[in-house]
């Protein structure tokens, strides 16, 4: 039995009554069908409505062969009249996101000729996949024009045109559609085949904010937030900016510059620390004599271990630099004349760990052993 879809005629309708035509248990929940419904079933990139049917809570809705199936947490008696209530906050959010997507996609199509080949209203953002490239400047231009369309408070028209009118109409559609085609039109912005719920005027979208754009296949994926979602995101970002400003002792308008200064200071201190670490290593390495030299130094930065091993190996057969790490060491083994891969494999067998590299320089982690144990083992092996 085909379900009468009340949301097609009035997307603002939240309360209705209907006769229960079916109810069956499935997986601890109940699948309920009605002769008519205001609940929108998941489809076309838009999530399902939630709400209540009598005392039952509706947690999902799907279209199964033209019949709208409501997944609920309690059963209803077949034949009874049930009062339905759609969660208005969720419905409004879905309508804001979906109408905002139409505005944005319609403008991309008009300005650049690209199709929206993928669309989804996720729990965090609306994503749109376009089959052509957009620069950041292009995206900001569309965002501005999209919000101008919101501010203009244009009507959002939904209708099913006669076949002859449809054939003469230029409209967007992701796929071929058999039978009646429902059109959503925003004058001067977009005309698109769509089964979803929409606001009645663009002003109800509130605002459209781009939060991401990345290369996707041969085109781009753009992420937006609309209405209340956009406001909540902006409030969260503003709160983060306040906290950063306090931490940096800066004005909110100057946090980028303050962060850049902080990073410059960090880099200068890191360079100074690296220089001091290498100097400490050089002092320790002065005690090492002979063809096999091993030095452990906790003042070295991990990025310096290869450079340290290279300095140890100058004038020797093998240089092994160690940096304490947990119970063991990060290491680099270097030689100007020898293939250090065999000794590295033996070192890993003796003290555990992992590592590798080319013949003149290997790197990795040893799991155990003291500096003296590793030095004596290596010198005995190379004697």
């Amino acid at each position: 039995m085909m379900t009468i879809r009340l949301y097609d005629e009035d997307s603002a309708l939240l309360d209705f009554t209907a006769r229960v035509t079916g109810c069956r248990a499935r997986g601890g929940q109940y699948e309920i069908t009605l002769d008519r419904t205001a609940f929108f079933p998941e489809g076309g990139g838009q999530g399902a409505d939630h709400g209540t049917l009598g005392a039952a809570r509706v947690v999902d809705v799907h279209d199964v062969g033209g019949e709208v199936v409501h997944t609920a947490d309690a059963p209803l008696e077949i034949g009874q009249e049930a009062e339905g209530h759609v969660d208005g906050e969720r419905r409004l959010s879905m309508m804001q996101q979906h109408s905002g997507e139409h505005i944005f996609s319609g403008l991309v199509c008009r300005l650049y000729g690209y199709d929206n080949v993928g669309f989804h209203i996720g729990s965090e953002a609306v994503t749109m996949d376009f089959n052509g490239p957009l620069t950041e400047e292009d995206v900001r231009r569309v965002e501005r024009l999209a919000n101008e369309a919101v501010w203009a408070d244009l009507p959002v028209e939904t209708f099913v045109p006669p076949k002859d009118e449809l054939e003469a109409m230029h409209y967007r559609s992701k796929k071929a559609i058999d039978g009646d085609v429902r059109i959503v039109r925003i004058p001067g912005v977009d005309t698109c085949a769509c089964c979803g719920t929409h606001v009645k005027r663009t002003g109800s979208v509130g605002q459209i904010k781009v939060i991401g754009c990345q290369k996707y296949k041969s085109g781009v994926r753009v992420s937006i937030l609309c209405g209340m979602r956009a406001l909540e995101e902006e409030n969260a970002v503003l709160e983060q900016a306040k906290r950063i400003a306090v931490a940096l002792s800066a004005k909110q308008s100057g946090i980028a510059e303050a962060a850049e200064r902080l990073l410059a200071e960090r880099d200068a201190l890191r360079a100074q620390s690296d220089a001091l670490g290498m100097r400490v290593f050089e002092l320790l390495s002065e005690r090492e004599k002979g063809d096999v030299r091993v030095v452990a130094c906790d003042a070295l930065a991990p990025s310096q271990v290869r450079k340290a091993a290279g300095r140890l190996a100058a004038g020797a057969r093998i240089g092994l630099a160690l940096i304490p790490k947990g119970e063991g060491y990060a290491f680099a083994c270097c030689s100007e004349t020898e293939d250090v891969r065999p000794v590295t494999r033996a070192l890993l067998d003796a003290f555990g760990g992992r590592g590798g590299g080319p013949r003149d320089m290997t790197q990795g982690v040893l799991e155990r052993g003291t500096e003296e144990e590793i030095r004596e083992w290596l010198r005995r092996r190379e004697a």
Side-chain angles (χ1 to χ4, degrees):
M1 176 181 175
M2 299 287 284
T3 309
I4 298 172
R5 301 169 189 240
L6 302 174
Y7 54 81
D8 275 343
E9 298 300 323
D10 185 3
S11 61
L13 179 66
L14 301 178
D15 297 296
F16 67 101
T17 58
R19 183 173 59 84
V20 178
T21 59
C23 180
R24 65 174 182 174
R26 181 185 288 271
Q29 296 177 313
Y30 299 87
E31 295 181 339
I32 299 171
T33 55
L34 309 170
D35 62 344
R36 61 185 201 149
T37 186
F39 283 90
F40 178 81
E42 179 181 358
Q46 179 177 329
D49 283 331
H50 294 173
T52 58
L53 278 173
R57 185 167 59 92
V58 177
V59 296
D60 206 356
V61 189
H62 290 279
D63 185 318
V64 180
E67 194 170 43
V68 178
V69 179
H70 309 74
T71 302
D73 64 356
L76 294 179
E77 184 178 345
I78 296 175
Q80 78 170 86
E81 288 289 317
E83 293 185 354
H85 174 72
V86 176
D87 181 336
E89 184 174 329
R90 179 179 171 85
R91 164 68 69 83
L92 175 59
S93 179
M94 288 293 178
M95 293 195 299
Q96 288 177 325
Q97 311 314 310
H98 204 158
S99 298
E101 178 271 325
H102 274 241
I103 294 170
F104 198 97
S105 295
L107 288 168
V108 169
C109 184
R110 284 172 178 261
L111 294 172
Y112 303 102
Y114 302 150
D115 295 323
N116 179 337
V117 294
F119 153 66
H120 179 65
I121 301 176
S123 59
E124 296 183 357
V126 177
T127 58
M128 301 165 289
D129 299 333
F130 296 105
N131 59 356
L134 292 170
T135 65
E136 185 174 343
E137 183 179 355
D138 295 334
V139 171
R140 293 307 170 196
R141 178 190 179 197
V142 177
E143 181 187 60
R144 173 72 185 194
L145 293 173
N147 280 287
E148 288 180 1
V150 172
W151 304 332
D153 197 27
L154 302 170
V156 180
E157 306 164 353
T158 59
F159 59 98
V160 178
K163 185 176 181 180
D164 57 339
E165 289 185 19
L166 182 68
E167 290 175 349
M169 185 181 298
H170 179 71
Y171 64 95
R172 296 188 302 115
S173 180
K174 295 185 182 70
K175 61 181 180 180
I177 304 172
D178 296 326
D180 292 339
V181 177
R182 182 172 182 260
I183 295 293
V184 176
R185 180 166 62 197
I186 303 170
V189 177
D190 188 40
T191 302
C192 184
C194 180
C195 65
T197 56
H198 292 272
V199 297
K200 295 184 181 297
R201 302 190 70 87
T202 59
S204 295
V205 173
Q207 62 174 311
I208 299 172
K209 184 61 192 171
V210 174
I211 61 170
C213 180
Q214 63 189 68
K215 181 174 173 57
Y216 182 74
K217 296 183 178 178
S218 60
V220 294
R221 171 169 288 176
V222 179
S223 300
I224 63 172
L225 294 173
C226 303
M228 183 58 72
R229 286 193 185 184
L231 179 62
E232 290 173 348
E233 174 70 10
E234 289 158 356
N235 284 338
V237 171
L238 180 60
E239 181 60 31
Q240 288 292 321
K242 289 179 180 178
R243 292 172 59 186
I244 294 170
V246 171
L248 297 178
S249 299
K251 294 181 179 179
Q252 287 184 49
S253 59
I255 59 176
E257 292 80 2
E260 289 169 357
R261 287 194 300 272
L262 187 65
L263 290 174
E265 292 172 6
R266 179 207 63 184
D267 291 343
L269 289 171
R270 181 176 290 171
Q272 185 179 39
S273 176
D274 287 352
L276 289 172
M278 188 56 69
R279 180 57 182 151
V280 171
F281 175 82
E282 289 172 347
L283 291 172
L284 293 173
S285 66
E286 290 177 358
R287 301 180 304 183
E288 290 293 298
K289 307 297 181 183
D291 286 342
V292 177
R293 301 172 183 174
V294 178
V295 172
C297 179
D298 59 8
L300 286 175
S303 60
Q304 294 178 296
V305 67
R306 292 173 63 87
K307 180 179 180 181
R311 291 196 180 183
L312 271 181
R317 283 197 305 113
I318 294 176
L320 179 64
L322 303 170
I323 300 177
K325 183 175 182 179
E327 298 294 321
Y329 295 93
F331 76 86
C333 185
C334 179
S335 176
E336 296 179 338
T337 59
E338 307 286 329
D339 183 348
V340 296
R341 291 174 294 186
V343 69
T344 299
R345 287 193 292 269
L347 189 66
L348 294 172
D349 288 341
F351 297 97
R354 61 190 184 279
R359 59 174 287 118
D360 63 331
M361 176 76 76
T362 58
Q363 190 171 351
V365 175
L366 298 177
E367 293 178 346
R368 58 184 179 272
T370 66
E371 176 186 5
E372 190 58 34
E373 288 171 342
I374 295 169
R375 178 185 291 109
E376 290 305 312
W377 176 90
L378 185 58
R379 286 179 174 173
R380 283 198 306 271
R381 185 184 187 280
E382 296 301 310

